[in-house]
Amino acid sequence: MSTWIKRGLLTVAVFLVTWVMFITYWSGANHMPDGGDVILYLLVLPAVFLLLVWGIAKGRSAMAAAAAAKAAAAAAAPPPAAAVTEPGHSPERKWTLAIVATALRSPFGADAADLLEQIKSQSVRLPLDGELVNDQGMPILAGRISDVQGEETREIYQAWQQHFPEQELTPQDNAHWRSLALAADIARELGDRLQWHPLLEEYQDAPRHRQEEVGLPHLHLLVLLPPTWSSEQRMQAARWLGEQVCQQGWPPEKLNVLPAAAGENAHPLLHLDRLVATSRDPRTQQPSPYLASSYLAMVIAAQSNLDPEIVQAWQQDKQLLQGAQSIGKSPAEAAAGLILADTTQALAMGTTDPVLLHRASLGRHEQSVDQARRVPGDLLIQLAQGALRDAAIVPDQLALLVSDGDYRASRTDEIMKLGYAVLPELDLGSQCVKLGASCGSAGLATALSALVLAHAATDDSDQPSLCVCNEDAHQRAVVALSRAPAIAATPAPVSDSAASTATPASPVTASATV
């Protein structure tokens, strides 16, 4: 009824306005209208105007109906082919590698499980460092490892460099040698763990011309050192660390130092994801992680930020945790390492029910989160959802979230948004560990240390864990870890025939698709 009233009022208004306008015009002009004028101006003209208004309304309704029909058809149409083949849904995203062993160096010890418990109980506190001061000359909080043999490492390394005249001897600061010393400690510890390989003794005892028949796999060594080092420095140090591994008993001819050690400064989890991506032939059907693929890799990351220049730069950028400022980051040093293998080899090397490293999801903030007024949580949420989907893990199954983040509000805000959106059942107060806040910032070494802590959590609880890296100003990464599925019988060690037919994976040179 209201529609007809509106239309009637509009009709009356149009006729009334038209009549008043023309009668007023005729009176002012002393014009006596005849019958034609009355019909044309007082009847036909307002009727045409009403028809024009009606036509415009009908046209607009038709256009709106057509647009709605087009949108409905698009929504009902099947997704394009590109959406089906996106990386998150490819079979390769289901691939995993088993973690055979881990090693850790932190300001609060070298035992990952013990450090995890200390952080969860909030019993660790960074001390004031007498060697590092701010621009007011006051000591700052720092994570220093007390027993680092920096000077001894410098002497050993420079003596080794003398055997290579083509390598340039360049003077380095104390933080450089502390980073290298920490990496050497990890290399020796993990190198000693390699002695558990069931084929190593047989390989060493075999005549040289029969050694390849044993089937001992190549060890792919990936060394991640501070991004401020040059490519030549990183590659030289990686070769030297490879010698440290071989001194523990691993055959030098079975060691392959990956060129990614001197490549671009990618995120540590991207390097690990590339190892998973190149660990097997994509043309080979791998329905189970227990199929022998004879893949063995070692990853080492070390970095020392105990450098006055770094402290000064952080203070200028207002990123340094100091004085009454309760947000920021503290310089620290750390090192971490992992041995990765196919699951059959992991079991043969004595790792019962190994923890699996799944594919990582990585992304990047175009704008530095340190400069943004408000940090959106969408990127980290999407990465976490992708990592859990690839690992086939239900969020409710997670036992712990480990982050390399620190006290800065932007990092905390991201983790809170991630928890609310993806992990609503996870208690961020007791089931979230922020390694950067507890042990200080050691760059890429903190990121890999967070992964080692996540491994310790899964290894202890048998429940999946999630490693989230959001300490960097731009890069974001998420990876899930879970216990390998149980099988009826323990797989036998890698046989001579199976291992001898396997070819070692090629060095990592291409970017992974994430």
Side-chain angles (χ1 to χ4, degrees):
M1 181 65 69
S2 61
T3 303
W4 287 105
I5 293 176
K6 291 179 180 179
R7 291 176 179 176
L9 292 176
L10 176 63
T11 302
V12 172
V14 169
F15 274 88
L16 183 60
V17 170
T18 305
W19 290 353
V20 171
M21 181 178 63
F22 280 100
I23 291 174
T24 302
Y25 171 74
W26 288 331
S27 299
N30 292 322
H31 174 72
M32 178 60 69
D34 55 16
D37 290 337
V38 172
I39 295 174
L40 177 62
Y41 294 110
L42 301 185
L43 296 177
V44 176
L45 187 62
V48 169
F49 182 76
L50 288 173
L51 288 175
L52 182 62
V53 172
W54 176 82
I56 293 175
K58 283 291 184 181
R60 292 179 62 183
S61 299
M63 292 175 62
K70 185 177 180 180
V84 179
T85 59
E86 64 177 317
H89 298 280
S90 62
E92 291 82 1
R93 298 297 300 176
K94 305 298 181 182
W95 290 355
T96 61
L97 282 176
I99 300 178
V100 176
T102 64
L104 180 70
R105 297 293 183 274
S106 79
F108 300 103
D111 187 288
D114 180 65
L115 176 61
L116 184 60
E117 289 302 318
Q118 290 185 63
I119 298 176
K120 291 172 68 174
S121 63
Q122 300 182 356
S123 61
V124 292
R125 296 289 187 273
L126 287 175
L128 292 173
D129 191 288
E131 299 184 31
L132 293 176
V133 297
N134 57 21
D135 54 7
Q136 285 83 35
M138 301 298 294
I140 62 172
L141 298 175
R144 183 181 296 272
I145 302 176
S146 59
D147 55 349
V148 178
Q149 305 296 326
E151 285 301 316
E152 181 180 345
T153 300
R154 180 183 61 82
E155 294 175 2
I156 297 174
Y157 182 77
Q158 290 183 343
W160 171 80
Q161 277 189 316
Q162 298 294 338
H163 296 88
F164 305 94
E166 70 278 5
Q167 295 183 2
E168 183 180 357
L169 292 173
T170 56
Q172 304 298 336
D173 56 26
N174 186 48
H176 178 104
W177 300 117
R178 293 181 70 89
S179 299
L180 193 58
L182 289 168
D185 285 345
I186 298 295
R188 297 185 188 105
E189 180 177 340
L190 294 181
D192 184 65
R193 180 63 176 82
L194 290 173
Q195 303 308 303
W196 293 30
H197 199 287
L199 298 179
L200 180 58
E201 184 177 357
E202 182 181 352
Y203 178 88
Q204 293 171 336
D205 294 340
R208 181 171 295 274
H209 66 284
R210 302 293 299 273
Q211 285 181 330
E212 286 303 318
E213 299 176 8
V214 176
L216 183 70
H218 279 75
L219 173 67
H220 303 288
L221 176 62
L222 175 62
V223 179
L224 307 176
L225 293 167
T228 54
W229 294 19
S230 67
S231 297
E232 294 77 10
Q233 289 173 336
R234 290 199 294 265
M235 198 62 195
Q236 289 178 20
R239 294 193 183 101
W240 179 74
L241 291 170
E243 288 203 5
Q244 306 308 302
V245 174
C246 294
Q247 288 178 7
Q248 307 305 309
W250 189 259
E253 65 275 12
K254 285 292 184 177
L255 178 70
N256 178 27
V257 179
L258 297 182
E264 83 282 15
N265 294 320
H267 195 277
L269 293 191
L270 176 56
H271 284 298
L272 265 67
D273 188 74
R274 290 172 176 175
L275 292 182
V276 180
T278 57
S279 63
R280 64 198 76 180
D281 188 344
R283 296 170 297 180
T284 303
Q285 297 296 321
Q286 303 252 2
S288 167
Y290 294 96
L291 293 181
S293 56
S294 295
Y295 187 84
L296 190 62
M298 180 186 296
V299 183
I300 300 173
Q303 183 168 335
S304 176
N305 284 336
L306 304 184
D307 188 339
E309 293 184 0
I310 293 178
V311 173
Q312 183 179 10
W314 289 2
Q315 187 166 18
Q316 291 177 350
D317 294 339
K318 298 182 180 180
Q319 298 296 319
L320 182 66
L321 181 65
Q322 59 174 338
Q325 182 177 329
S326 59
I327 58 174
K329 56 182 179 179
S330 301
E333 55 189 0
L338 305 95
I339 296 178
L340 304 173
D342 61 274
T343 313
T344 301
Q345 281 196 105
L347 294 174
M349 293 175 68
T351 305
T352 307
D353 298 329
V355 174
L356 299 181
L357 174 69
H358 295 271
R359 299 297 298 272
S361 296
L362 298 105
R364 179 181 177 84
H365 285 297
E366 292 302 323
Q367 182 185 6
S368 169
V369 296
D370 295 331
Q371 306 300 326
R373 293 184 177 180
R374 181 177 179 272
V375 179
D378 298 345
L379 176 60
L380 206 59
I381 290 172
Q382 293 174 6
L383 296 180
Q385 291 172 337
L388 293 173
R389 180 182 64 245
D390 292 339
I393 294 175
V394 178
D396 295 349
Q397 298 175 338
L398 289 176
L400 189 69
L401 185 152
V402 183
S403 167
D404 66 345
D406 47 54
Y407 286 114
R408 285 173 290 179
S410 57
R411 275 56 171 185
T412 302
D413 189 41
E414 272 190 309
I415 295 296
M416 296 294 288
K417 291 177 179 177
L418 169 63
Y420 292 145
V422 183
L423 312 170
E425 300 298 325
L426 199 70
D427 183 358
L428 296 181
S430 61
Q431 295 177 286
C432 178
V433 170
K434 297 172 63 176
L435 184 59
S438 302
C439 298
S441 175
L444 48 84
T446 300
L448 200 62
S449 297
L451 184 63
V452 170
L453 292 188
H455 168 268
T458 298
D459 193 44
D460 178 65
S461 66
D462 291 335
Q463 293 179 285
S465 58
L466 198 66
C467 177
V468 177
C469 295
N470 69 328
E471 192 273 343
D472 189 80
H474 294 277
Q475 299 179 4
R476 294 292 178 268
V478 181
V479 67
L481 293 87
S482 67
R483 179 72 75 184
I487 54 176
T490 302
V494 184
S495 64
D496 296 356
S497 59
S500 61
T501 58
T503 57
S506 58
V508 181
T509 56
S511 297
T513 303
V514 294

